Amino acid sequence: MRGAKFIGVAVVLVLAAATGCNDNDSGGAEAASSARVPAGLESFYNQKPSWKNCGDGFKCATVQVPLDYAEPNGAKVGISAIKLPAQDKSDRIGSLLTNPGGPGGSGVEFVRQAGRAFGNDLRRRFDIVGFDPRGVASSAPVRCNTGPQLDRFFATDTSPDDQRETNALAAESKQFAQNCKTKMSAELPHVSTVDAARDMDVLRAALGDRKLTYYGASYGTYLGAFYAEEFPENVRALVLDGAVDPTMSSTDLLIEQAKGFETGLRAFAEDCVKTGSCRFGDTADAVLVNISSLLAKTDKTPLKSSKDSRKVTESLVVMGIARALYVKEYWPVLRQALTQASQNSDGTMLLNLADEMVERKHDGTYSSQTDANMAINCVDKPSPTNLATYGKAAIKAQKAAPRFGPFVVWGGLPCVYWPVQTKQQPKPITAKGAAPIVVIGTIRDPATPYKWAQGLADQLSSGVLLTFDGDGHTAYLQGNHCITEATNDYLITTDPPKDGTTCR
């Protein structure tokens, strides 16, 4: 989520086979025409995208939306979309719109990589659809910083020990914000989650669906919740997996996320000890102490890397560890990376993980993920107005989450200097009048703590909480049969699982 250094990574997701059931909603252009069309936006809602083959059975199109919904006759933004068509057109329900998270993750790439991993019954009855939200990837991307500028930003010490280090961090954060002001000033006010939610309703109509069927992971839950708040009458079935609590302030959100990474790291440490060959200690507490020692050592002397000439600073080490905590299957890789770093002062594997986290390519360039992530987060919620106030939040974070707190909170510092500030305060989302909405929470989710799923499910007037007693970020995508069956049945029939169901 918030902060370019710690975000909801768009992970390739593997889904178990879906279960078939009865049709509930027919979809199609005729059905779509019966949904409410906001005044002045008829040309956008009535557009017919030109779907073209774009390789490997996929079809791609661009859907036009207004840059500023208050001025629909002004500049436009092209939203890139992709779909894997339903296998059985005679039994087709409609479209399953998806968002993999971020903010900043490419929904087009997600569906291209993972569209066929959806269960057979879902693929048979739904077009699997992805899109790049405005400001992301191929939808008028926010691009502010060069590769070398981002290298310097990510390597900067985000656990400052004195005023000199704090000033250096502030200077990098100011430069990040200034670069975006210089290059993207016209677009920055219009990349909010509310704007993206309104785009989703245009997409729904352009896809020919009377109501929306949606799967959102991580930040995608935040986007889906805002959609339900704006268009409750257009909700057919929404799955919000790895939920974000919309009531939290920008800094409180980061502090809670840091605590989530601490929970994930302890789970990793406990698993390391259980393997019987853990090289970092005989107990979970010992493992955590040794990891803390490694971080303290790296703060003074960065690790080397055989990958390139970059120094693997403490900030990059923490980022690499965090990346591995997103997916439990990465834990063996993390054990190896930490061994390499501890025994040989070699941070190559940790650097590889950190680069994957922020989508840095082998040639030193980056995707738009980091710039888009910061731009969307900064405009979505108010930030502290000065460095001193922000620093108090970092101190609070360090006490609550000693290994991750400072890094997560200081990572959002550019928002203090951002050229576009919002006055809209966080508030509960109720989506009154919406059909049942399924919120999935994973008990030891490092990036979106379980309490956020509980909070969102309670806020939503039709929220249904589905719990996964497991590790890693998000649940539906991990292949747990109980989660998969309950979710797929709901997407097909619109009948939700019993509120409070727990899967193990």
Side-chain angles (χ1 to χ4, degrees), residues 36 193-194 197-198 224-234 429 431:
R36 175 177 64 89
T193 297
V194 172
R198 299 190 73 176
F226 268 88
Y227 178 88
E229 184 80 341
E230 291 285 318
F231 306 99
E233 71 280 7
N234 292 349
I429 288 181

Side-chain angles (χ1 to χ4, degrees), residues 29-38 45-46 201 204-205 209-211 227 233-234:
E30 184 177 350
S33 66
S34 64
R36 175 177 64 89
V37 176
Y45 273 75
N46 294 330
D201 203 51
R204 172 198 58 76
D209 293 323
R210 183 173 63 85
K211 294 189 176 185
Y227 178 88
E233 71 280 7
N234 292 349

Side-chain angles (χ1 to χ4, degrees), residues 10-14 51-61 80-85 96 98-100 105-118 123 127-132 137-138:
V11 188
V12 174
L13 310 168
V14 179
W51 293 96
K52 294 181 172 26
N53 293 328
C54 52
D56 201 24
F58 293 97
K59 294 181 179 293
C60 295
S80 293
I82 189 171
K83 69 178 177 181
L84 186 62
L96 174 59
T98 64
N99 181 279
S106 170
V108 170
E109 286 305 308
F110 166 68
V111 166
R112 190 174 284 281
Q113 293 176 25
R116 287 188 169 85
F118 283 73
R123 287 188 55 210
D127 297 341
I128 309 299
V129 181
F131 70 103
D132 290 344
S138 53

Side-chain angles (χ1 to χ4, degrees), residues 89 111 119 146 189 223 246 259 275 289 314 329 422 441 444 464 479-480 488:
K89 293 183 179 180
V111 166
T146 65
L223 178 56
K259 290 163 66 176
T275 64
V289 167
E314 183 185 14
E329 285 71 22
T422 181
R444 292 175 296 280
V464 175
N480 177 272
N488 289 348

Side-chain angles (χ1 to χ4, degrees), residues 378-396:
C378 290
V379 79
D380 265 357
K381 292 187 177 186
S383 295
T385 57
N386 56 63
L387 180 63
T389 304
Y390 203 91
K392 292 178 182 178
I395 293 172
K396 182 179 178 181

